[in-house]
Every structure is written in C-alpha cells, then in structure tokens.
Amino acid sequence: MRILVTNDDGVMAPGIRALAKACEELGDVIVMAPDTEQSASGHALTLKQPLRVQELEPNVYGVSGTPTDCVLLAVHGPLFNRVPDLIMSGINAGPNMGDDVTYSGTVSAAFEGTLLSIPSIAVSLATFDVYPYDTAAACAVRVAKALLRGGLPPKTLLNLNVPALPMGEIKGFRLTRLGHRVFRDTIVTKTDPRGRPYYWVAGTPEWDAMEKSDMSAVQEGFASVTPLNMDMTDYKLLVDMENWDF
Ligand code: MN
C-alpha cells in the first residue's frame, strides 16, 4: 500500500510530519506538499508557470505550487512508478468545517484525489493555537483503516476535524454534516504609510447551532467525520426548476 501525504500549510509544517509518521503503519509514505504555505488556496491549479520539485529528504518533496498541483503531480507525474492507494491531506493547523471547506487547500487536495479515483481523507486539527498533532494523527489512521475496510463511492472524500484534546479525552467519532458559519466584520480597512487605504480579509467566525454539524461535534469533544461529495448539483432544485420559465 502506498500513501501520498500532502497539505496546504507547506511541506515543513509540523502537522504534515505528524500525519506522515502516523501513516507509516499503513504502508509506504510519500510526502509531496507545497514548498510555501497555501492555506485558503482552495482547488487552485498552477497553469501559467512551471512547477519545480525539490527532494528535501528521502520520500519528502516540496513543490512550488498548490495542494492540487501536488496531488496531480504525484499521481500523473513521472516521479513515482506507482499511483497512491490512499491520499491523506493535512494535518491542517486549524479547522476546516462548514462553509469554509471550499476555501480549504487541505480539503481540495483530497477532492483532487477523489477526482482521480483515489480514496482521500482531509484531516484538520480544530484549533489555531499551538497544540500537539498526535491525537489528530491517531484519529486519521483510525479513519483511514475504516475507509479501507468500507470503501467510498466515486467523487466522495472524508473530512475529519479533530478537537484539540488528548486522545483519552476524545469522546469518539461522530458522523456529521457541514455546519454554517457567518463572518462578522469581514473586511478591515486601514491606511498605509503613504496615506492610501488597504483592505484585509478578516473577521470573527460565528457558527450557527446546528444539530449533527461538524462544528457542534468538535465543540462537544468528538472527532467529526463528514462525507463530502464533489457533485454540488442541487438535485431537488433541479426537479423544482422544471416549471421555471426561461
Ligand atoms: Mn492550512
């Protein structure tokens, strides 16, 4: 079994190292990840410049691109003689839940994996504080083993968010749906030293209390597992819209 480990925090991030180490019990691990932080890069592809790859140590590669570039390069590029059997993306420093998942490079790398028909899991540690990754890494391996037993339908990935708690305090795994998040004060306006305005995307997230959501699970001390489907078609509306007059 070959496992590709990638992320959006960059190849030097502590989270990816912890995930790669934990995945060694599943098989041969290759790390291929952006050489700089690419958080909130979404599902971006680099099309207007070449990709450079640097082997930093055996089986650890830094790429001058996005998380999606890394997955494509690892699967279709000439560097490896084998397609990975499993893609693990993370462990992200910070949650990837609810409405935030499409911004996430971590989740998008896993989406890319599923588009290439490879079972994929996105893993995030649900805190922005410095916190050890060992609990999230152990949870990720548990979810990977369950996925390898159960399998996934096409175009589907698993999105795992782990609370910042010691393993003994995690209450278990909870299957969840995406929550809903609203940002207050989204754009901050300031003035630069030359007197011109500049703008910064910022804001404080506020989460709706939603039953069975990823956010509520993590708040209650559970590791949240959400199956996500790449097919964003609204099938119910598709039927309802039959009577629309265009
Ligand atoms: Mn990130």
Side-chain angles (χ1 to χ4, degrees):
M1 166 111 167
R2 169 166 288 186
I3 304 111
L4 170 67
V5 178
T6 190
N7 76 349
D8 74 359
D9 291 338
V11 69
M12 302 307 286
I16 195 170
R17 296 311 176 101
L19 185 57
K21 186 99 198 75
C23 285
E24 282 173 7
E25 75 163 274
L26 300 171
D28 301 330
V29 175
I30 284 175
V31 174
M32 184 169 257
D35 58 12
T36 56
E37 192 190 332
Q38 300 287 323
S39 290
S41 62
H43 202 176
L45 268 181
T46 302
L47 296 178
K48 294 188 177 173
Q49 57 196 51
L51 299 174
R52 303 283 182 183
V53 179
Q54 201 180 355
E55 186 169 8
L56 301 168
E57 53 191 83
N59 296 321
V60 178
Y61 300 84
V63 177
S64 64
T66 66
T68 297
D69 293 331
C70 293
V71 172
L72 265 183
L73 191 59
V75 174
H76 284 317
L79 285 94
F80 312 119
N81 53 8
R82 242 177 89 189
V83 169
D85 305 291
L86 175 70
I87 295 177
M88 303 287 277
S89 180
I91 300 167
N92 190 61
N96 278 308
M97 302 190 288
D99 300 324
D100 289 338
V101 295
T102 60
Y103 300 119
S104 167
T106 308
V107 173
S108 296
F111 264 135
E112 190 62 21
T114 67
L115 291 179
L116 300 171
S117 306
I118 300 167
S120 301
I121 303 173
V123 188
S124 303
L125 178 62
T127 180
F128 291 108
D129 296 336
V130 174
Y131 191 84
Y133 286 94
D134 50 344
T135 303
C139 288
V141 170
R142 297 254 307 257
V143 172
K145 285 179 176 170
L147 178 157
L148 293 168
R149 283 192 298 270
L152 279 178
K155 288 194 175 184
T156 306
L157 71 94
L158 297 181
N159 187 35
L160 169 66
N161 281 273
V162 181
L165 293 170
M167 195 62 186
E169 290 177 32
I170 299 275
K171 288 183 184 161
F173 290 85
R174 184 184 279 173
L175 297 174
T176 57
R177 60 176 172 152
L178 292 177
H180 178 54
R181 186 266 299 118
V182 186
F183 269 109
R184 306 277 168 226
D185 310 309
T186 312
I187 303 290
V188 175
T189 305
K190 299 266 187 184
T191 308
D192 76 12
R194 291 174 184 82
R196 296 190 311 185
Y198 65 91
Y199 311 94
W200 209 296
V201 177
T204 315
E206 287 177 16
W207 289 85
D208 278 359
M210 263 171 67
E211 233 183 288
K212 293 189 176 168
S213 77
D214 43 11
M215 188 61 188
S216 61
V218 164
Q219 280 174 340
E220 290 168 35
F222 290 87
S224 161
V225 181
T226 313
L228 298 180
N229 197 303
M230 192 69 186
D231 184 352
M232 292 190 274
T233 311
D234 188 327
Y235 287 97
K236 184 180 173 301
L237 191 57
L238 195 60
V239 173
D240 295 349
M241 283 174 72
E242 290 291 337
N243 352 319
W244 283 32
D245 190 20
F246 289 102

